[in-house]
Amino acid sequence: MMKRISLFFFCIVQFTCIAAENTRLPLNDYFSETWNTRTGLPHNSINSVAQTSDGYIWIATWEGLARFNGRDFKLFTRSEIKGLPDSGLRSLSAEPDGSLYIVGARGGISHLKSGQWKTSANAQAMVNHILNPTPSEVWLGLEGKGLVLRDKTTNHESHLLINLSVYRLIQDSNSVIWAATSEGLYRIEDKEPQLITPAQGLPTSSIYTLLLTRQGQLIVGGEKGAWRLVDNRFESVHADFNGESVSSLLEDSNNDLWLGTINKGLFRLSSLGLEQLDSEAGLPANRILSLLQDREGSIWVGTNGGLFRLREAPFSVWTKKRGLSGNYIRAILSHSDGSIWVGSSSGLNRIKDDKVQSYSVTDQTRPLSVLSLVEDDSGGVWIGTYTSGILRVVDDKIYPILNRDGGLASNEVRALLFDHKQRLWAGTASGLTRIETDGSITQFTTDEGLPGDFIMALSQDANGNIWVGTGVGVAMFNDSLGKFKGQQFPRKFNAEYAFGFYSQNNNMWMTTDRGLIRFNIETGQIDMLGREQGLPVDKLFQLVAQGDLFWLSSNRGIIQIKQQEVDDFLDNKNSNLLQYQLYDEGDGMLSAQANGGSSPAATLHHDGSVWFATANGAASVMPERLKRASQLALPTIIELLVVDGKTMNISNQDDLIELPAGSDRVSFHYAGLSFIMSQRLKFQTKLLGYNDKWVDRHKLNITEYTNLAPGKYTFMVRSSYPNSPWQDNLKAITFVIKPYFWQKVSFKLAVFITILLLCYGLYKYRLYHYKKIEKRLTERVDEQTYALQAQNEAFAHQATHDQLTGIPNRRAFDDWLAENFNDFKQTDKPLALVIVDIDYFKRINDNWSHIVGDRVICVVANILQQCCDDNQYQVSRWGGEEFTLLMPNKSIEQAQKDCEQLREQIANYDFSSIATNLKITASFGVADSRSVDEYDRLLAKADKALYQAKENGRNRIEALN
C-alpha cells in the first residue's frame, strides 16, 4: 500500500515538473520593458523592488520612493513620508499584513500601513535591510555598524554584530537568523552569532544576498559566487558560475533560480541550463541591485541604470539574433511535421524544437529573397522568390524548378497554391501560371479574364474554385468551366488590392486595402468591415481563424476580434461599437508593421500559436497566454478623490468622507493593478444616490461628476481584462456632500411653514374680498354667458354656412354625407347626389364684374334652396360657382326629373335686374348610392357626370349609374 502511495506522489511530482517545463519560456521569448528617470522614476538606481498585498509595485531609489500601478509612477519623498531623515532609500520589506517597511540613508525607518505613515527612531547608520521575525522585535542590518536587535515597545537596542556591514537578513523554518555581511555569512541562533567558515564550504569573502527557497533550502550569493546549503555544507549552485559576484537572488514560480550580479548582468538557472541577460541583450546596466517576481509572473530587475521587467508577453519574435537569415519576413508556413518555415528577404529558415535551420541554394552565393511558400501533399516545401522564380527544398538543399526562361510568367512569385488535383498555381507580377502534374504550363493574364496581372494571393474554396487576388480586384477560376469570373467590389467599398483569402463554409473572406470583406459564394452578398465600421486601420493583409477568434495583420499591428461579433455586425444584429484588441510593440512585437503582398503572410500552427511575418522578425502569439493572463486576480484600487481641484485624504476608504458644502466637481482616479495588460484594462463605475446602473468607462481611469446635489453617495468601480468577464473586485467609497444652511431640510421646512402661513393669511383676506364682489361678478357672468352663447351660435353658423349665399357650405355637406351615407346603404334606400355648376361663369366676372358674379351666385343659391325646402333636400355651396344637392330616397331617375325643373327655372330666370342682356344656364351631374359602397365614390361619379354635361354642350343634365 505504501509503495502505491509513494508511486502516486512520485507521478504527481513528475507531472508538476513536466507542466512547469512546458510553460517555461527561454529568456529570449520574454518581453522586456525599461523605466528610468525619463519615464517617471526619481532615480535610476533601483535599490529595492517589492509588491504589497494590494497589488502595487514599490521601488526604492536614492531620490525617494515610487509606487507603480501599471500606468503611472506616484512619487513619495520626505515631504510625504514625515520623519524620514533623507530621501535616499536602501531597502523595502513587504509584510504579510499588507504593510510596507521602508529603510534607508541616515538610518531612517518608516512603516506604511492602511494608508498611514509611521516612522520609528533612526538607526545609527544607513539601514541595508530590516527583518520582523516577531511582533515585538525588529532586526536591522546596518552599513558599517553591524546588526542591531531593537525592541519595538521600548526601542532598546542590542548590538549582536559590530564594525561590519550587514546587507541581508533572513529567518528559516527553525527560527534561525542568517545574516549576509561584509565578513561572510553568520548563523544566529538564540541571539548567538556564528560565522560560517571555509570548512563548511563558503570562501572567506563578503556575502551580499540570501534566499530561502520554497523547499526551505538556503541559497547565498556573494563576492565569489553563489552556493546552496546541502546537508549542512554549502555547494556551488552551478559549476560554470564560480567567481561571479552575486548581488541578488530570486526563486520564481517554476522554482528556477535567478542570480543578479555586480558586473555580468542577470542569470537564470533552470532546466534549460544557465542563461545570461546583459546590457548587450537589453538590460539597462549590468549591475543588478534587486530582483522580484510579481503575482502575474513578471520578473522585475532593479539595476543602477533603471528598472527592467521581463514578462510573458502575448507575442514572441524570432529574428537574426535567434538564428534567422534576415529580419524582414515576407512569408511564413506551418508545416505538417510541426515545424515553421520562415521566408525573408535574406533567405529561408526552418524552426523546430526551438532550433533554427538555414537553407541555401545550390551553386548560388547571393542571399535568396523569399516571397511565398507552400507545402505539397508529400511534405515538400516549394518557394516563390523575388528574382529567381520557383524553387524547391530537396534533402536540405534548395534547387531551382522554374523561372521566366522556362515558361513562368515572371520571376517575382508572390503566391503559390497546390489545388485538389495537385496542380501548382503560381501568382507572379506578370500574371498567373498553372503547372500541371505532367509539367505542362498554362498562362493566364487579363486576356483570359484576370482583373490584373499583378498577383498577390491565391486560395481554393470548398467547391474547388481558385480565387486570385490582384492589385485591381479579385477573380474566381471555375475549374469545371475552365474560365475566370471577375468579382468587382462595390464602388462604395473603394477597395482595390486583395492581399489574402480565408475560405470558411459558404463564405470567402478577403483582406483588402479598405478592410475585411465577406463574400457569400452562394448568394453573392458582399459585406465589408473597415475603418468606417470601427476597425483602427483600412489595410489588412492576412486573416487567420483560431477557435472563435479572427487575427488580422496590418501595418499598425495585429488585430484580434471575435468572429461571432464580426458576423453579427455584418448581419446588422449588433449595432454596438466593435470590441477588438490591437497588439503592437508594447505586446512583444519588435515591429508593428506586419508585411503583406506575399503569402502566407500569417499562419495558424498545430500547437495553437499564430505566426505573422513582420518587418522585424517572425512574430508568434500563443492565445493561451492571453487566456491565462486574463484569469489572474485583478485588484481594483481607488487612488485619488479630487474635489474642486483639491486632493482629499482617502487612506481609510471604509470611513464616510465628508465633502464641504458647495462641492461642485468630484473626480475619482482609479486603477486595475495589472502589469501585463495595464493599457487594455476596462472599467465600469456606478454612483449610488445618482444612478444605479453600471456605466462603461472602457480604458478611461478617471470619472468626474459635476453639480451633485447635497446628500450621501457611494462611488463604485470594478475592472476587467479585455475580452473577459467582470471580476469580483469592486471597490467603493462612500461620501456625503454637506449642504449650505439654506439647503438643509430644517431650513426648507421652516421656509415652507412660513410660506403656508402667509398663504393662509392672504387666503383669508382674499376670501373676504371675493365675497364682497361675488354678487357683482355673478351678474356679469350671466351677462357674458348670454353674449357668449349668442356668439357661439354665430360662430357655429359661420363654420357651416357660406357667407355669401347663407346656405350650408362644403364642410356641412361633407359632415352630413359622411354621417348618413352608411344608413342609406344599410337600409337599402336610394340617395341621389347632384353637383350643379353655373355655365361660363368666368365670362360673367370678366364681362360684367365680380360683384355681378356674386349676385348671380346668390340667385342660383336661392332657386336651389327653395327647391330643397319644398322637398327636404340638402343644398350647399360646394365652392366658387358649384353647388351640391343631396336628395334622400330619390333614385337617379327621380333626381333627373327634379334637376330638369331646376335647370329650366335657372335658364328662364330674368337676370336683367342684375345686368342687361345677362342670361344664365347651369349644368347638372347626377349619381345615386346604389352602385357605390363609399360616399367618396358617390361624389366622384357625380363629378364625372357633371364633366360629361359640360363636355356635351352645357345647360344639360348627365347621370351615371
Side-chain angles (χ1 to χ4, degrees), residues 69-71 296 309 634-635 672-678 681 721:
N69 64 9
R71 292 190 179 189
E296 295 175 316
R309 179 177 67 167
L634 176 61
L673 296 185
S674 168
F675 303 95
I676 294 178
M677 291 183 280
S678 57
L681 299 181
Y721 294 104

Side-chain angles (χ1 to χ4, degrees), residues 29-51:
D29 274 359
Y30 278 95
F31 176 64
S32 62
E33 292 172 280
T34 301
W35 293 270
N36 50 38
T37 53
R38 294 182 179 180
T39 53
L41 285 172
H43 195 274
N44 285 334
S45 287
I46 312 302
N47 296 324
S48 183
V49 184
Q51 185 174 32

Side-chain angles (χ1 to χ4, degrees), residues 260-478:
T261 68
I262 292 178
N263 298 311
K264 296 294 183 65
L266 181 66
F267 290 83
R268 184 180 71 174
L269 182 60
S270 71
S271 60
L272 300 178
L274 185 65
E275 301 169 280
Q276 183 183 8
L277 195 67
D278 56 18
S279 58
E280 293 184 0
L283 272 177
N286 283 331
R287 184 179 181 86
I288 309 301
L289 304 176
S290 53
L291 292 171
L292 169 75
Q293 184 179 39
D294 66 21
R295 65 178 64 180
E296 295 175 316
S298 297
I299 305 296
W300 298 78
V301 185
T303 76
N304 65 343
L307 179 64
F308 183 78
R309 179 177 67 167
L310 294 168
R311 68 179 174 93
E312 186 179 287
F315 286 82
S316 60
V317 182
W318 290 78
T319 60
K320 287 182 67 176
K321 184 178 178 181
R322 298 182 66 177
L324 295 185
S325 300
N327 289 336
Y328 196 85
I329 312 301
R330 292 197 182 102
I332 195 157
L333 173 70
S334 176
H335 198 277
S336 58
D337 66 0
S339 63
I340 288 288
W341 291 74
V342 181
S344 71
S345 60
S346 303
L348 179 67
N349 301 101
R350 178 175 180 258
I351 303 173
K352 189 171 185 181
D353 299 328
D354 286 330
K355 296 180 180 178
V356 178
Q357 181 178 356
S358 298
Y359 295 85
S360 60
V361 183
T362 57
D363 303 327
Q364 181 175 315
T365 57
R366 67 179 184 273
L368 183 68
S369 183
V370 179
L371 287 179
S372 54
L373 296 168
V374 70
E375 179 185 3
D376 61 26
D377 60 349
S378 63
V381 175
W382 298 67
I383 310 162
T385 67
Y386 193 64
T387 58
S388 304
I390 301 174
L391 301 92
R392 186 184 180 190
V393 179
V394 180
D395 296 332
D396 293 338
K397 286 288 185 179
I398 300 176
Y399 294 91
I401 298 296
L402 185 67
N403 57 25
R404 186 170 52 240
D405 296 336
L408 193 63
S410 168
N411 283 339
E412 183 178 337
V413 183
R414 291 185 173 270
L416 291 171
L417 172 70
F418 280 100
D419 64 15
H420 62 288
K421 296 180 180 179
Q422 287 305 299
R423 298 174 297 185
L424 178 61
W425 297 74
T428 77
S430 300
L432 181 63
T433 301
R434 186 178 69 192
I435 307 169
E436 308 294 337
T437 54
D438 61 2
S440 59
I441 295 175
T442 306
Q443 302 287 358
F444 302 94
T445 64
T446 52
D447 295 336
E448 284 74 34
L450 285 175
D453 289 334
F454 192 83
I455 313 299
M456 292 181 292
L458 294 170
S459 181
Q460 182 175 246
D461 63 25
N463 299 321
N465 301 314
I466 304 299
W467 290 75
V468 184
T470 78
V472 289
V474 170
M476 181 188 76
F477 182 80
N478 189 310

Side-chain angles (χ1 to χ4, degrees), residues 9 117 145 156 169 173 212 293 296-297 412 418 420 436 467 522 535 553 701 720 758 786 848 867 892 896 907:
F9 280 105
W117 297 94
K145 293 294 183 178
H156 177 267
L169 299 165
S173 58
L212 201 64
Q293 184 179 39
E296 295 175 316
E412 183 178 337
F418 280 100
H420 62 288
E436 308 294 337
W467 290 75
E522 290 187 351
L535 287 183
S553 62
N701 62 342
S720 174
L758 289 174
Y786 178 78
W848 282 276
C867 175
I892 194 168
Q896 282 182 279

Side-chain angles (χ1 to χ4, degrees), residues 735-773:
F735 64 97
V736 60
I737 299 178
K738 292 182 178 181
Y740 288 111
F741 74 90
W742 62 80
Q743 294 175 315
K744 294 182 179 179
V745 175
S746 56
F747 178 80
K748 293 179 180 179
L749 183 61
V751 171
F752 178 70
I753 294 174
T754 302
I755 292 174
L756 283 180
L757 292 174
L758 289 174
C759 290
Y760 179 74
L762 181 61
Y763 165 74
K764 294 295 288 183
Y765 171 77
R766 297 298 293 173
L767 182 62
Y768 169 77
H769 180 70
Y770 287 146
K771 286 182 177 180
K772 187 175 181 180
I773 62 174

